[in-house]
Amino acid sequence: MNQLKLSILDLLKEDARLQPSTIATMLGAEEQEVSAAISEMEQDHVIVKYATVVNWSKVDDEKVTALIEVECTPERGRGFESIAERIYLYPEVKSVYLMSGAYDLCVEIEGKNLKEVASFVSNKLSTIDSVISTKTFFILKKYKQDGIIFEEFEDDGRLLVSP
Amino acid sequence: MIKDKEFSQTMTQPPVESGMKHYLNASARAIPPSGIRRFFDLVSNSKDKDIISLGVGEPDFVTPWRVRDAAVYSLEKGKTQYTPNAGTPELREAICRYLNDQFSLNYDPGKEVLVTVGGSEGIDLALRALIEPGDEILVPEPTYIPYAPISSLVGGVPVGIETFAKDNFKLTAENLRAAITPRSKVLVLCFPSNPTGGIMTYEDLLPIAKLVVEHDLIVISDEIYAELTYGSKHVSIASLPGMKDRTVLVSGFSKAFAMTGWRMGYACGHPDIISAMLKIHQYTIMCAPIMGQVAALESLSPTGMEEKDRMIESYNQRRRLVVQGFRQMGLPCHEPQGAFYAFPSIQSTGMTSEEFAQRLVLEAKVAAVPGHVFGKGGEGFLRCCYATSVAQLNEALERIGNFLNKIK
């Protein structure tokens, strides 16, 4: 990937709302060149989606998030692919990672309440044939996600004017 | 006998206005208050929370966590003592390695480096060590404000040399030659420049260096913005042939390493000059704070340098945005190739820079510093620091554009 694309990704990662014209000015590039690079990265699924990082703890809409360690038996010829697909297609599953170490898959689940998450784990996840065991850990508080710190941002402590 | 209560009342009574002025040293009495301070008071008094500040001359980044952590850890370990007057040997060695790697400068950490409380102390010490009453100090302007007042405080005579937008605010040999007199002793350079963002290339510096040698001058080169260049790499005049011994290089960690409040700087130069500066430093300051020295050392580590590079790239992106913004709204703006200031001309509005800046704060809620406070050639310009978020910059540019449309 060329430097221009990497720089564009860096900027969009910080602020997905930046317009191609602004990005072009900031990088000293042509607007057309930037637009073309963005389109190309969208088509190649390098840019998968423009999403908003939400601190849900500030919203009244209560959610429960759990990380589940899943130990499972890989399938001949497909390894963990089919089991991972089986799991990630559920809408309550937010992320699935193949892990090295003591367990195989790490699954992040979001539900309206504890009961809903427990129900998913016992009725859906644990009943998949190749799943050997699960361990569920509830997330109590998110401090940082995707490189963004969730704590209150402090005011800019600088003076308004200085030499 | 004065009873406690009476004594207390005596002490709390305000001094009679002007009643103590006759005690003051004549030089301290004579220097005017900083023009930037007057403007600061105006902005502070407005109490408007919605003001976007382009007036602050410091990074919007806080010191990288690894650097802060190093200082915190050292405090936890009880590192709270004095250090050698010249600074810890580790930091002086690191500074020398850094200057060699980045700017091809060779200094002996044992004799040619002094760690100071910010670059400001380095400038003060250099002037105090060099200037005799009546000596002339040549200062290309517009420039960082304190050079002239400090020169006056040490009994020197500051001589401003105007630089121009048409020359990208570079000092030309022609202008320097015209300002030199038999009493000239020191030339102060501040490139990359606060407030113009101008830089001096090797070719620009060569004729200046020749004049310096020819007229037996000493250069105090304030290189606090040396890392902040966008395009060509900074060239120190100390690296030019025959100039190392004639140059006191002053720099620090405030700007490029986002460490303004730590007050960490250093000065490098001929052992005789550094030794004289060290004497003044040891009798006044003793040594720079140890926690700052620990933090400065960490900032020169490979990780610290990566953080610095990341911040510089961010300034560069915002620089382009701001310069184009000013040009699109019809304010001519030379290409600032260093520091983090844009210096657009507001001459087309017919207002003085003070009037423009004041109205901009009150009517558009954008604070920028009027150019005249930076000396000769600054009138008609505005110093705008672009070390603030892209969102804030875009909002500020929009407000300035609307303000210009309103006053047309």
Side-chain angles (χ1 to χ4, degrees), chain B residues 218-331:
Chain B
I218 292 283
V219 177
I220 297 175
S221 185
D222 183 349
E223 302 185 17
I224 193 79
Y225 293 100
E227 284 278 6
L228 304 178
T229 56
Y230 314 103
S232 53
K233 203 167 171 66
H234 169 72
V235 177
S236 171
I237 195 167
S239 68
L240 270 64
M243 285 305 296
K244 185 188 165 194
D245 286 349
R246 288 194 172 273
T247 304
V248 182
L249 183 155
V250 176
S251 192
F253 296 84
S254 292
K255 310 294 181 177
F257 297 92
M259 291 178 64
T260 49
W262 298 84
R263 310 309 305 128
M264 288 307 306
Y266 52 88
C268 305
H270 190 279
D272 291 347
I273 299 176
I274 293 297
S275 168
M277 291 168 65
L278 176 61
K279 277 193 285 184
I280 305 167
H281 174 76
Q282 74 187 22
Y283 290 132
T284 50
I285 302 291
M286 186 72 80
C287 64
I290 189 169
M291 57 289 284
Q293 294 193 53
V294 169
L297 182 63
E298 180 65 22
S299 75
L300 294 176
S301 70
T303 317
M305 296 294 274
E306 276 174 27
E307 296 270 9
K308 173 212 70 182
D309 291 341
R310 183 180 59 80
M311 293 189 279
I312 293 168
E313 181 50 33
S314 175
Y315 295 138
N316 192 13
Q317 291 168 355
R318 292 180 270 175
R319 176 185 72 104
R320 294 189 182 114
L321 197 67
V322 166
V323 171
Q324 178 168 306
F326 282 128
R327 288 176 178 171
Q328 280 177 344
M329 66 179 79
L331 294 183

Side-chain angles (χ1 to χ4, degrees), chain A residues 7 11 15 18 21-22 24-29 156-163, chain B residues 36 39-40 43 53 55-60 317 320-321 324 369 383 387-388 390:
Chain A
S7 301
L11 289 174
D15 184 356
L18 282 179
S21 58
T22 309
T25 306
M26 291 172 77
L27 298 179
D156 186 345
R158 297 178 298 166
L159 305 170
L160 284 172
V161 176
S162 75
Chain B
I36 213 165
F39 192 68
F40 170 76
V43 174
S53 178
V56 62
E58 68 179 313
D60 60 331
Q317 291 168 355
R320 294 189 182 114
L321 197 67
Q324 178 168 306
V369 184
R383 190 191 76 172
T388 194
V390 171

